[in-house]
Amino acid sequence: MHDDRSLVEARLRRVLDERIRPAVYPESVPLEVAVWHAPGEPVPVAEGLAAEPEPIEVGARWGAPWGTSWFRVTGNVPRAWAGRTVEALLDLGFDENMPGFQCEGLVYRPDGTPVKGLNPRNQWVRVGAPVEGGEEVRLHIEAASNPVILGYHPFRPTQLGDKETAGSEPQYTLTRMDLAVFDETVWQLVADLEVLGELMAELTLESARRWEILRAVEKALDAVDLQEVNGTAARARSLLEPALSAPAVPSAHRISAVGHAHIDSAWLWPLRETVRKVARTVSNMTALLEDEPDFVFAMSQAQQWAWVKEHRPEVWARVKKAVADGRFVPAGGMWVESDTNMPGSEAMARQFVHGKRFFLDEFGIENEEAWLPDTFGFAAGLPQIITAAGSKWLLTQKISWSQTNKFPHHTFQWEGIDGSRVFTHFPPVDTYNCSMSGSEIAHAARNFRDKGAARRSLAPTGWGDGGGGTTREMIAKAARLRDLEGSAAVVWETPKKFFEQAEAEYPAPPVWVGELYLELHRATLTSQARTKQGNRRSEHLLREAELWSATAAVRTGFPYPYEELDRVWKTVLLHQFHDILPGSSIAWVHREARLTYERIAGELTAIIEAAQRALAGEGTTPLVFNAAPHTRDGVPAGGARTPVTEGRTSLTARPAGGHILDNGLLRIEIDARGLVVSAYDVGADRETVAPGRAANLLQLHPDFPNMWDAWDVDEFYRNTVTDLTDTDEIITGEDGASVRIVRSFGASRVTQVLSLAPGERRLVLDTEVDWHETEKFLKLAFPLDVHAERYASETQFGHFHRPTHSNTSWEAAKFEACNHRFLHVSEPGWGVAIVNDSTYGHDVTRTVRTEDDRGTTTTVRVSLLRAPRFPDLETDQGIHRFRHALVPGADIADAVCEGWRINLPQRPLTGAGEVAPLVTVDNEAVVVTAVKLADDGSGDVVVRLHEAHGGRARATLTAGFEVTGVRVTDLLERPLEGAAAPDLRDGAIELRLRPFELVTLRLRRG
């Protein structure tokens, strides 16, 4: 037989595009359209419906950037259409290639009932099936003219990312507003041909099945009269039936399709627009569930559910019914799909506390999976947090984006720093926006790396990022792929059902230990420094507010601010979303975030001050409140006392130029360039700075990645570096313990104050940068005279080690990584810590010096600032303040302590006298991360703690109040099944912890 494959395939493409798809709507009549443009921000639905619109014609331009327009469409169904299915086709000016990234709408009936959302892949609204003819049609569309930020030429700087700079030029052209007859037979034929055509393209040329499909398609095309498609579609479908009914082979890969609409809580749109995106998507999905009995839809992010409940009660009613039916599924159990690298220990825990509690309170549903398809890598402390929240599974997709190394598994056990393991799945379909195309389904089956041991994967199905969700076309394709020869077998299932089956078929999967590092988007650890600082400071203010409020409530009857803390926590958690905290959203988002963090700081500071005043009482005794988990200057952790400081610091001229700071513990030499050329540990008789090198060295790199500007830093940035060594001035401080250095470079200016306090083994570096560079990367370097093959980096509830070398491609790919409050580099018996108050990104490299010395220099560089121009044209322009400290001679215990210390400055107050801690722990390896009252209002005291040094620990926790009972709980403060109650004697609780173990205790007050 001659090879006519290309001829038939080309014929299929053209006939589908030019004849069959257009025949889905064979007849149409125009609707009358009028529009009212809302001034300013979106208005309530009732106001939009009541507004008086002006006529508008198809073809007219509409929609200023970020505007809202209320369209009213009216008409009558022609009587000649009686007995037929009729739909309204409402095209606001859509580009079908941009679902979720441009204009969208929500359709209402005149009484305000939502019908469904409109987006580029969902332009229809069912009017009747069948109609009687003559019906009046009246619909209202709340249309959002969101501008296209990420266009066909991506990453171009734009002013459209903030309503304050976006202008008023109309963004869209009204394209179609019609009533049309919907021919379901032709629509089904389209689905038949698309599924078979796409499957055919994925089969090998040697496959008999490919040729069987080709011949069936050819016969069907022969049966279609191109001048009478609607009358011949049924005959064509019948000729395809044998090809569509051939069953899948028994060994076919099995795909659990989960309806999905990944909606970024903010990204290329502001938070307020996400509220509406969720409403549109949810309206679509609840409507689709009513029409499609096999379909299952899952939505994560409790915050988004809460938005629907608060802002769209009419949509919420439909959601509750669909959840009760078991087909609209709460997923993930987190407040938002957060970043997991940068949120602190407590914040990461509270993501699950608030997320899971919302779904429990609203629906009685316990989520057992973490659902994070788009998060930019996963911290090594996360498995313990997932298990401590009562969950056991994790789904993500993003690791498939790694540039260098292909992850070796799709289903595996992920082990965290404490030994906790989570059954984890990476969908091999390699997208969280699966559309059920043949190429996606075939790729999932081919790509699955656990063949032979398992044959099941999950496909999140539906348009996402900007929402939209699953379409009826995807459901039609899935129905045909349920049991089809040559294809993986597809079935709609809930995430829970998938994980239960996957776990059962793969009882001993491989284990991956440590972080799940994404080899991409590394610059998200640095972009938008103010957002990151706002997060870090909010986390620590929340710790203080809970600690002092709980202490004051127990001691003085202070009213514990349950509602205020709950609201603030949820706001902070929202801003940890994986495009807000990472700095990859538009300018509008980060402008609002700065204002939000300022407001939060004011609210929390007021709570802290009120609680401390209640504790201190009236008096003139000078007190210092210490919220850190370690004693400081004689002030106990969680208490207040008059501090005790000893020693003095001398400031002298350095003979070779510059200054020397010496407090008897450290001697710091600062040369005439303002660089630290010596940091001598007196007690250890040990130099910290590598010979011939200088610390406190600011380094500037060009920073123009190949794509994803705010997200990425490419390794070639290191090829060019400028050391900032010129100074404008160097001035000694009036306190006799500090040196001030001012530098100018480019259009920017840096002012640093280096200080060495009496009695302390840390050099504090306060850095203020007035930053006006573009496409530059600013680093702060510390070349250390330490031979280290690995270094410690703090993460949630502990730390873990990364190599300093790049022996393999896996190590080389980690050229920019995340830490929380500290980094620690050491040799046996001596080490150095570098701690920070608000930075996350860093790199660590090692070099061997000259043959005469042969020592190893381990260089730690802290990432301070970037200046990408997309999606925020003015990223980080302006003044920034950072605080770091160099701690020579530090072991891990010192690193942990100093990291807390720099983030929780002491608060002075005068009062009646000492304030005893609410709880104390007698082992510094056991760190208390939270002291609070139980969320249920019972008055119980909740204490969360963990082993922080990486070893086993025994400790006694002593309560400073009468305790009548103690229970070990999960993060949601529920008794932990199978956990024995700790020994309680006279308010003392004996604890034994394994390395990095996290424990939550609930203490019942007498």
Side-chain angles (χ1 to χ4, degrees):
M1 182 180 290
H2 297 294
D3 184 355
D4 61 348
R5 174 180 52 84
S6 298
L7 191 68
V8 175
E9 290 174 355
R11 179 187 181 193
L12 172 61
R13 287 191 296 271
R14 185 176 185 190
V15 171
L16 260 176
D17 286 343
E18 297 185 23
R19 292 291 189 272
I20 300 179
R21 288 195 185 98
V24 171
Y25 293 104
E27 300 177 56
S28 65
V29 296
L31 289 160
E32 292 186 8
V33 191
V35 66
W36 174 72
H37 302 293
E41 285 296 277
V43 300
V45 173
E47 184 177 342
L49 293 174
E52 188 59 39
E54 298 289 333
I56 185 173
E57 298 293 329
V58 168
R61 298 284 290 170
W62 72 276
W66 306 113
T68 300
S69 299
W70 282 84
F71 290 93
R72 185 186 68 196
V73 296
T74 56
N76 293 91
V77 176
R79 295 193 180 278
W81 292 358
R84 304 171 78 177
T85 298
V86 175
E87 294 181 344
L89 300 181
L90 308 173
D91 186 343
L92 299 173
F94 296 127
D95 180 338
E96 288 193 358
N97 295 318
M98 291 189 177
F101 292 93
Q102 55 166 220
C103 60
E104 299 172 15
L106 182 54
V107 180
Y108 296 90
R109 296 188 180 93
D111 65 0
T113 303
V115 180
K116 66 188 295 286
L118 295 177
N119 63 58
R121 296 296 181 112
N122 222 319
Q123 303 177 21
W124 59 273
V125 176
R126 180 64 56 87
V127 171
V131 296
E132 295 181 359
E135 292 95 334
E136 181 184 4
V137 176
R138 186 184 183 93
L139 298 170
H140 297 262
I141 308 166
E142 180 189 16
S145 51
N146 303 331
V148 175
I149 306 294
L150 190 67
Y152 286 105
H153 298 285
F155 319 119
R156 297 286 179 89
T158 175
Q159 297 280 10
L160 291 171
D162 195 329
K163 64 177 181 178
E164 295 185 353
T165 60
S168 58
E169 182 71 20
Q171 299 293 294
Y172 297 102
T173 300
L174 198 63
T175 301
R176 185 177 188 183
M177 294 277 150
D178 288 348
L179 284 179
V181 171
F182 174 72
D183 188 328
E184 185 169 356
T185 301
V186 176
W187 183 84
Q188 296 284 5
L189 176 60
V190 170
D192 293 342
L193 289 170
E194 285 182 346
V195 166
L196 289 174
E198 290 167 0
L199 172 60
M200 179 172 60
E202 298 300 323
L203 299 174
T204 65
L205 290 179
E206 295 75 24
S207 165
R209 174 65 169 158
R210 178 165 184 159
W211 293 91
E212 289 171 0
I213 294 173
L214 186 79
R215 299 278 80 90
V217 167
E218 183 178 37
K219 291 176 182 177
L221 294 177
D222 288 343
V224 175
D225 182 341
L226 299 186
Q227 277 67 51
E228 184 50 50
V229 173
N230 300 90
T232 55
R235 169 65 178 160
R237 289 201 70 205
S238 69
L239 295 173
L240 294 173
E241 178 59 27
L244 286 165
S245 60
V249 298
S251 61
H253 184 71
R254 295 188 61 82
I255 293 178
S256 296
V258 178
H260 185 239
H262 172 65
I263 303 178
D264 287 309
S265 289
W267 180 27
L268 304 180
W269 45 86
L271 288 167
R272 68 89 154 142
E273 192 56 32
T274 313
V275 175
R276 302 201 297 174
K277 282 179 173 286
V278 173
R280 296 174 201 127
T281 298
V282 168
S283 295
N284 265 351
M285 296 305 97
T286 51
L288 201 56
L289 286 167
E290 294 174 0
D291 295 337
E292 302 290 347
D294 294 332
F295 178 50
V296 175
F297 181 78
M299 189 169 88
S300 66
Q301 306 192 73
Q303 171 68 87
Q304 295 187 0
W305 292 69
W307 278 334
V308 177
K309 181 180 179 182
E310 177 184 358
H311 297 284
R312 289 289 197 269
E314 66 282 358
V315 178
W316 181 248
R318 291 164 59 173
V319 169
K320 290 184 69 174
K321 180 183 182 303
V323 173
D325 293 340
R327 298 175 56 217
F328 197 118
V329 183
M334 295 175 68
W335 191 247
V336 295
E337 290 182 11
S338 73
D339 180 79
T340 75
N341 285 313
M342 291 176 282
S345 303
E346 270 306 303
M348 202 72 251
R350 304 299 175 96
Q351 286 286 354
F352 288 90
V353 169
H354 287 284
K356 294 194 71 168
R357 187 172 287 146
F358 181 89
F359 294 134
L360 283 165
D361 290 346
E362 295 293 336
F363 308 113
I365 291 175
E366 173 93 14
N367 293 102
E368 295 183 290
E369 76 286 335
W371 184 274
L372 291 163
D374 191 28
T375 297
F376 309 152
F378 299 87
L382 187 58
Q384 180 173 206
I385 297 171
I386 293 172
T387 56
S391 299
K392 57 184 179 181
W393 303 314
L394 169 66
L395 178 135
T396 186
Q397 181 66 66
K398 202 68 171 188
I399 300 300
S400 69
W401 286 40
S402 285
Q403 289 176 312
T404 305
N405 298 286
K406 188 173 179 63
F407 198 80
H409 318 295
H410 282 107
T411 304
F412 59 100
Q413 290 278 8
W414 179 29
E415 182 178 315
I417 57 175
D418 76 314
S420 295
R421 289 183 176 180
V422 175
F423 187 83
T424 301
H425 181 65
F426 294 170
V429 71
D430 281 351
T431 177
Y432 47 79
N433 296 325
C434 176
S435 63
M436 281 291 137
S437 72
S439 60
E440 290 170 333
I441 300 306
H443 176 75
R446 284 195 301 263
N447 187 42
F448 188 56
R449 296 180 72 90
D450 298 281
K451 297 183 186 76
R455 63 184 186 101
R456 189 180 301 273
S457 69
L458 185 147
T461 302
W463 301 115
D465 290 315
T470 317
T471 65
R472 61 184 179 183
E473 288 78 14
M474 296 175 193
I475 292 175
K477 287 188 173 185
R480 289 157 175 79
L481 295 170
R482 186 180 184 91
D483 189 15
L484 182 62
E485 183 185 356
S487 172
V490 176
V491 62
W492 294 104
E493 288 179 326
T494 66
K496 180 177 182 179
K497 183 73 175 295
F498 162 76
F499 275 110
E500 287 175 341
Q501 294 177 127
E503 212 169 17
E505 79 168 6
Y506 207 6
V511 177
W512 182 272
V513 179
E515 68 179 328
L516 293 169
Y517 180 91
L518 177 63
E519 297 170 356
L520 191 74
H521 292 359
R522 302 167 182 90
T524 58
L525 303 173
T526 305
S527 298
Q528 297 288 359
R530 294 184 189 90
T531 299
K532 291 169 171 57
Q533 289 180 331
N535 173 73
R536 177 76 70 84
R537 289 166 186 171
S538 296
E539 288 180 354
H540 288 86
L541 285 168
L542 277 160
R543 171 193 172 84
E544 288 193 80
E546 289 183 338
L547 169 64
W548 301 125
S549 293
T551 306
V554 173
R555 295 279 167 69
T556 72
F558 179 81
Y560 191 80
Y562 291 101
E563 292 183 4
E564 293 90 337
L565 291 172
D566 180 78
R567 174 175 48 78
V568 172
W569 262 119
K570 287 174 179 175
T571 301
V572 172
L573 298 178
L574 166 59
H575 285 78
Q576 291 177 342
F577 179 74
H578 66 252
D579 276 308
I580 303 179
L581 179 55
S584 46
S585 287
I586 55 174
W588 188 348
V589 173
H590 293 289
R591 174 172 55 80
E592 287 189 333
R594 290 193 292 274
L595 297 174
T596 298
Y597 285 130
E598 289 173 8
R599 187 188 74 245
I600 285 172
E603 292 182 42
L604 293 176
T605 299
I607 292 172
I608 292 164
E609 290 175 348
Q612 289 181 339
R613 173 48 59 200
L615 287 165
E618 297 300 324
T620 58
T621 302
L623 302 173
V624 166
F625 281 80
N626 175 21
H630 307 94
T631 298
R632 185 190 318 182
D633 298 335
V635 182
R641 185 181 294 173
T642 302
V644 177
T645 57
E646 298 178 352
R648 60 180 295 274
T649 299
S650 65
L651 175 58
T652 59
R654 180 172 177 265
H659 306 277
I660 298 174
L661 293 167
D662 191 335
N663 66 0
L665 301 174
L666 295 179
R667 185 171 69 246
I668 307 296
E669 295 190 29
I670 302 166
D671 71 4
R673 303 169 297 172
L675 303 179
V676 176
V677 292
S678 175
Y680 182 70
D681 181 350
V682 175
D685 186 22
R686 176 73 186 255
E687 176 57 60
T688 305
V689 181
R693 302 289 300 278
N696 188 42
L697 174 64
L698 290 162
Q699 295 183 303
L700 192 67
H701 295 270
D703 184 19
F704 189 63
N706 289 342
M707 56 194 304
W708 298 109
D709 295 41
W711 295 256
D712 282 358
V713 56
D714 290 327
E715 192 172 15
F716 55 72
Y717 87 92
R718 291 177 167 178
N719 296 346
T720 306
V721 60
T722 301
D723 292 345
L724 303 180
T725 58
D726 293 340
T727 60
D728 297 347
E729 60 181 18
I730 301 178
I731 305 170
T732 57
E734 294 181 2
D735 58 2
S738 63
V739 176
R740 180 173 179 266
I741 305 121
V742 181
R743 308 181 194 279
S744 296
F745 61 95
S748 303
R749 181 181 176 92
V750 177
T751 301
Q752 287 186 300
V753 177
L754 278 54
S755 56
L756 181 64
E760 294 185 356
R761 287 194 305 129
R762 62 175 188 160
L763 173 68
V764 175
L765 300 86
D766 287 299
T767 304
E768 178 181 287
V769 186
D770 189 2
W771 181 246
H772 297 284
E773 306 307 302
T774 57
E775 296 167 351
K776 295 289 192 295
F777 196 3
L778 184 64
K779 291 262 188 176
L780 179 61
F782 299 87
L784 308 174
D785 190 11
V786 177
H787 177 84
E789 294 181 357
R790 65 178 192 168
Y791 70 97
S793 172
E794 189 187 30
T795 189
Q796 294 99 358
F797 297 110
H799 60 268
F800 72 106
H801 292 91
R802 295 188 185 95
T804 60
H805 57 76
S806 53
N807 282 354
T808 71
S809 60
W810 293 87
E811 291 143 358
K814 296 183 180 182
F815 60 81
E816 185 78 6
C818 182
N819 66 281
H820 287 189
R821 287 167 292 225
F822 73 79
L823 293 167
H824 183 254
V825 179
S826 68
E827 298 173 358
W830 194 84
V832 180
I834 295 171
V835 300
N836 72 83
D837 75 340
S838 60
T839 55
Y840 296 92
H842 69 271
D843 69 89
V844 179
T845 55
R846 66 198 301 269
T847 56
V848 175
R849 300 192 291 270
T850 64
E851 291 189 8
D852 293 338
D853 176 48
R854 288 192 171 179
T856 301
T857 298
T858 301
T859 301
V860 176
R861 297 199 308 162
V862 176
S863 303
L864 295 182
L865 289 166
R866 299 183 67 235
R869 303 184 69 212
F870 181 88
D872 179 358
L873 188 63
E874 301 292 328
T875 302
D876 276 335
Q877 300 300 294
I879 295 176
H880 303 269
R881 296 179 179 88
F882 308 97
R883 171 169 280 202
H884 295 83
L886 175 69
V887 191
D891 57 17
I892 278 289
D894 297 320
V896 172
C897 180
E898 293 291 348
W900 279 101
R901 180 173 186 167
I902 201 169
N903 282 274
L904 285 166
Q906 294 170 310
R907 293 182 180 270
L909 196 66
T910 58
E914 177 178 336
V915 177
L918 197 59
V919 296
T920 60
V921 179
D922 66 354
N923 184 342
E924 69 172 8
V926 178
V927 170
V928 174
T929 60
V931 177
K932 59 189 287 292
L933 294 193
D935 291 340
D936 61 7
S938 63
D940 291 354
V941 174
V942 173
V943 180
R944 189 142 38 243
L945 47 82
H946 72 285
E947 196 288 319
H949 295 174
R952 294 186 179 272
R954 298 183 63 173
T956 300
L957 182 144
T958 303
F961 57 94
E962 182 183 356
V963 178
T964 59
V966 59
R967 294 294 301 269
V968 178
T969 74
D970 64 8
L971 294 179
L972 277 70
E973 302 167 10
R974 305 173 298 188
L976 201 58
E977 289 186 21
D983 291 336
L984 172 64
R985 296 181 184 178
D986 299 325
I989 302 164
E990 298 298 322
L991 300 169
R992 293 191 179 192
L993 281 74
R994 65 179 183 272
F996 300 127
E997 182 179 2
L998 162 64
V999 175
T1000 304
L1001 299 174
R1002 183 169 180 146
L1003 282 57
R1004 188 169 65 250
R1005 291 159 56 192

